[in-house]
Amino acid sequence: MAGAHKIGELLDRCSAAVHVFYFAAISCVGWGLLTALKVRAPHRRPCGIDMFFTTVSAATVSSMSAVEMEVFSNGQLLVLTALMFIGGEVFVSLVGLASKWFQLREQIRNRSRVDSHDDVELETPTTPAAGAEYSTPVATTATEAESSTPVVDEKMLQHDAVRLLFYVVLAILLVVHIVGAVAVAAYMHAAPGARRTLRRKALDVWTFAVFTTVSTFSNCGYMPTNENMIVFKRDVPLQLLLAPQALVGNTLFPPLLAACVWATGRKDLAEVAKKGREATGYHLLEARRCWMLAGTVVGFIAVQAALVCAMEWGSALQGLSAGEKVANALFLAVNSRHTGEATLDLSKLAPRPRLFVLVMYLPPNTTWFPFGDNSTTRDHSTKSQGIGFLESTVLSQLSYLTVFVIAICITEKRKLKEDPLNFNVLSIIVEVVSGYGNVGFSMGYSCIRQINPDQLCTHRWTGFAGRWSESGKLILIIVMFFGRLNRFSMKGGKAWKLG
């Protein structure tokens, strides 16, 4: 078991390195393409660090904003769309399934070649010294061939399970994007107000529909409008179209995947898939856990929506009908987990976004599960007798976030002193947690809140990070990478004893 644990650790480290290289590579390629293409207005062209910040934000599906989105041309919006698509969790996992599929296929082929070689040796005539001596090697070879058969059968079953999962995930990916884009485009054509908004912003309907669908399902949260979804706060049908896409692309994807696998009727393959990431690259949840996950998600949404309605009914939600208020509260609650699309200005909420800091930090599969875990799969790390030096130096997630917040407070210390209403620790915490959770919520920046008004200050529809120094933006870029790859550091901090 110790050998298997070491091999598992090695594979995890290799996988982490591959993921780091993948996201760094697509971010750099996207930055090159974004820089090479022309913006809508040359005099408003963003600087290099803002361009790179935007590509990293799109690739890590964080939607942290340092540039107004309407600056980008249609070609640049297509680049951002591609980055969000290939950086989304579902697409990345699909690539992992494809890799596992080809790996298993090669293993089966190699095993078949070995078995064929053994069969040839079995059929080769030999000259025995005695009749009794001739039967011994034949029996031994036959026994070895029979013992290898279960191994091949198990590999074949595992291969079929991975292939089934690949096609199921691919089908979900295609269906959601095609149906979602068509539905959004149809609504834009049917709603005069929404169509006028796109015409005023010089946005093509299909560009908007595809960009929004990809962004929502990948849980990025970018919108091709400067104001994000604020300009569509009265478009309740559009919100109802996007909310399910945000859920099935993140928190409700495991129940959806399990339901699709169950619908195939291949229970034998589903049982193999349940063995964990070692077998398929996916960890399918059992039915009871799927129900509890769905219930947890619904519970979080209901509590947040109720609190927003209770606190903002006559303030931030003022001017909307009762149905629009409830729809906006629900949409904000759905997006607070990981998507980050907002129909309200977070800086104007009564409790500010303290309400959302916790849910932004929580992993997508957080589940209230008051039952014993009867899974046959166990974490190998619990069976290890010791902790390696590298693992023992790793801190917990909250420790790293604390370090990041302190580092940004240091880089922005002058602005914290001169502009405390905009630059305060709470706003920085919200930005860091939002970047870590790949959410995209931001407190923004307001020239009105300046204690010493700057006559040159202009209002921009960007996130709070758009006003940071280059050093602060670089730190937030690291936070976004760290949050996108946090699965490889979730076990950190176990070696640290505080008592």
Side-chain angles (χ1 to χ4, degrees):
M1 295 300 294
H5 172 51
K6 290 183 180 296
I7 293 175
E9 284 184 342
L10 181 61
L11 291 176
D12 286 342
R13 290 171 186 170
C14 292
S15 179
V18 170
H19 277 73
V20 170
F21 175 78
Y22 175 79
F23 285 107
I26 63 175
S27 297
C28 291
V29 172
W31 176 62
L33 292 174
L34 212 63
T35 305
L37 294 172
K38 294 181 179 180
V39 297
R40 289 191 185 183
H43 64 281
R44 298 171 60 194
R45 187 176 186 84
C47 62
I49 183 65
D50 286 344
M51 284 287 203
F52 186 65
F53 185 94
T54 303
T55 56
V56 170
S57 187
T60 59
V61 293
S62 302
S63 74
M64 305 303 292
S65 175
V67 180
E68 290 183 322
M69 295 301 295
E70 292 177 25
V71 169
F72 297 118
S73 62
N74 278 341
Q76 290 173 317
L77 290 178
L78 291 177
V79 172
L80 293 176
T81 303
L83 286 174
M84 292 186 294
F85 182 81
I86 64 179
E89 181 63 31
V90 177
F91 179 83
V92 172
S93 62
L94 185 68
V95 174
L97 282 174
S99 175
K100 187 73 174 181
W101 178 7
F102 292 132
Q103 179 185 356
L104 289 170
R105 188 171 64 180
E106 288 301 314
Q107 291 177 359
I108 293 172
R109 286 179 178 176
N110 293 336
R111 190 71 188 183
S112 299
R113 293 192 191 101
V114 173
D115 292 342
S116 300
H117 181 68
D118 291 342
D119 292 341
V120 172
E121 289 185 350
L122 178 63
E123 295 174 0
T124 303
T126 58
T127 305
E133 296 175 1
Y134 181 74
S135 62
T136 302
V138 175
T140 302
T141 307
T143 302
E144 292 175 353
E146 291 174 0
S147 64
S148 66
T149 302
V151 177
V152 176
D153 291 343
E154 183 179 354
K155 285 291 182 183
M156 283 296 298
L157 192 59
Q158 186 179 353
H159 170 271
D160 291 343
V162 172
R163 183 177 60 181
L164 170 71
L165 280 176
F166 176 84
Y167 284 126
V168 170
V169 174
L170 179 62
I172 294 173
L173 191 68
L174 293 178
V175 169
V176 172
H177 281 91
I178 294 174
V179 174
V182 171
V184 172
Y187 174 77
M188 288 298 164
H189 282 292
R195 193 167 62 252
R196 281 195 301 270
T197 299
L198 294 187
R199 191 180 301 117
R200 186 175 70 251
K201 294 179 176 295
L203 288 171
D204 179 71
V205 171
W206 280 104
T207 299
F208 175 86
V210 173
F211 185 98
T212 302
T213 301
V214 172
S215 177
T216 304
F217 181 76
S218 66
N219 274 223
C220 181
Y222 268 153
M223 295 287 289
T225 57
N226 288 340
E227 306 90 342
N228 202 274
M229 281 288 292
I230 294 178
V231 290
F232 300 110
K233 63 182 179 181
R234 291 187 176 275
D235 293 280
V236 173
L238 178 61
Q239 298 173 30
L240 296 179
L241 284 174
L242 297 180
Q245 297 178 32
L247 290 173
V248 299
N250 193 280
T251 52
L252 292 186
F253 182 76
L256 175 63
L257 179 62
C260 292
V261 171
W262 175 81
T264 62
R266 300 291 299 273
K267 295 183 179 180
D268 55 337
L269 302 184
E271 288 300 321
V272 174
K274 286 181 182 178
K275 290 184 177 180
R277 293 186 180 275
E278 296 85 359
T280 62
Y282 262 85
H283 184 63
L284 288 179
L285 304 181
E286 59 182 359
R288 184 168 59 174
R289 188 173 289 275
C290 285
W291 282 110
M292 295 307 297
L293 174 58
T296 304
V297 172
V298 172
F300 272 126
I301 293 173
V303 170
Q304 292 176 84
L307 289 175
V308 171
C309 286
M311 296 177 180
E312 307 298 335
W313 194 266
S315 54
L317 294 173
Q318 190 175 10
L320 302 176
S321 66
E324 291 172 345
K325 290 180 179 180
V326 173
N328 277 264
L330 284 172
F331 187 78
L332 195 65
V334 168
N335 282 271
S336 65
R337 287 298 297 274
H338 291 281
T339 311
E341 295 172 359
T343 55
L344 301 175
D345 186 352
L346 297 186
S347 65
K348 295 180 180 179
L349 298 183
R352 297 243 172 160
R354 296 183 184 94
L355 174 66
F356 302 120
V357 172
L358 174 62
V359 293
M360 288 193 296
Y361 173 76
L362 293 176
N365 289 345
T366 299
T367 309
W368 183 72
F369 193 74
F371 307 103
D373 190 359
N374 57 0
S375 174
T376 57
T377 306
R378 291 291 183 267
D379 191 355
H380 293 298
S381 62
T382 59
K383 300 180 180 180
S384 61
Q385 299 299 318
I387 301 177
F389 174 76
L390 182 62
E391 185 178 352
S392 66
T393 58
V394 177
L395 301 176
S396 66
Q397 304 291 306
L398 283 175
S399 300
Y400 282 117
L401 292 182
T402 302
V403 171
F404 288 135
V405 169
I406 293 173
I408 292 173
C409 286
I410 292 173
T411 62
E412 311 303 320
K413 61 181 180 180
R414 184 178 62 83
K415 296 177 181 177
L416 282 167
K417 186 184 217 179
E418 298 175 354
D419 192 8
L421 295 183
N422 283 303
F423 281 83
N424 52 72
V425 177
L426 175 60
S427 298
I428 292 176
I429 290 175
V430 171
E431 206 81 2
V432 170
V433 175
S434 181
Y436 164 79
N438 304 129
V439 180
F441 273 171
S442 176
M443 293 289 291
Y445 184 93
S446 175
C447 298
I448 300 175
R449 292 197 293 264
Q450 291 180 339
I451 293 179
N452 300 312
D454 182 2
Q455 301 300 326
L456 299 178
C457 180
T458 56
H459 178 73
R460 290 186 294 167
W461 286 100
T462 63
F464 179 43
R467 303 282 182 163
W468 293 4
S469 64
E470 291 188 358
S471 300
K473 291 175 183 177
L474 287 175
I475 294 174
L476 193 57
I477 286 173
I478 296 173
V479 172
M480 289 188 286
F481 276 122
F482 181 70
R484 188 64 180 85
L485 303 171
N486 65 355
R487 74 179 69 175
F488 301 106
S489 58
M490 292 298 289
K491 299 175 184 177
K494 291 185 177 181
W496 297 89
K497 307 299 180 185
L498 303 182

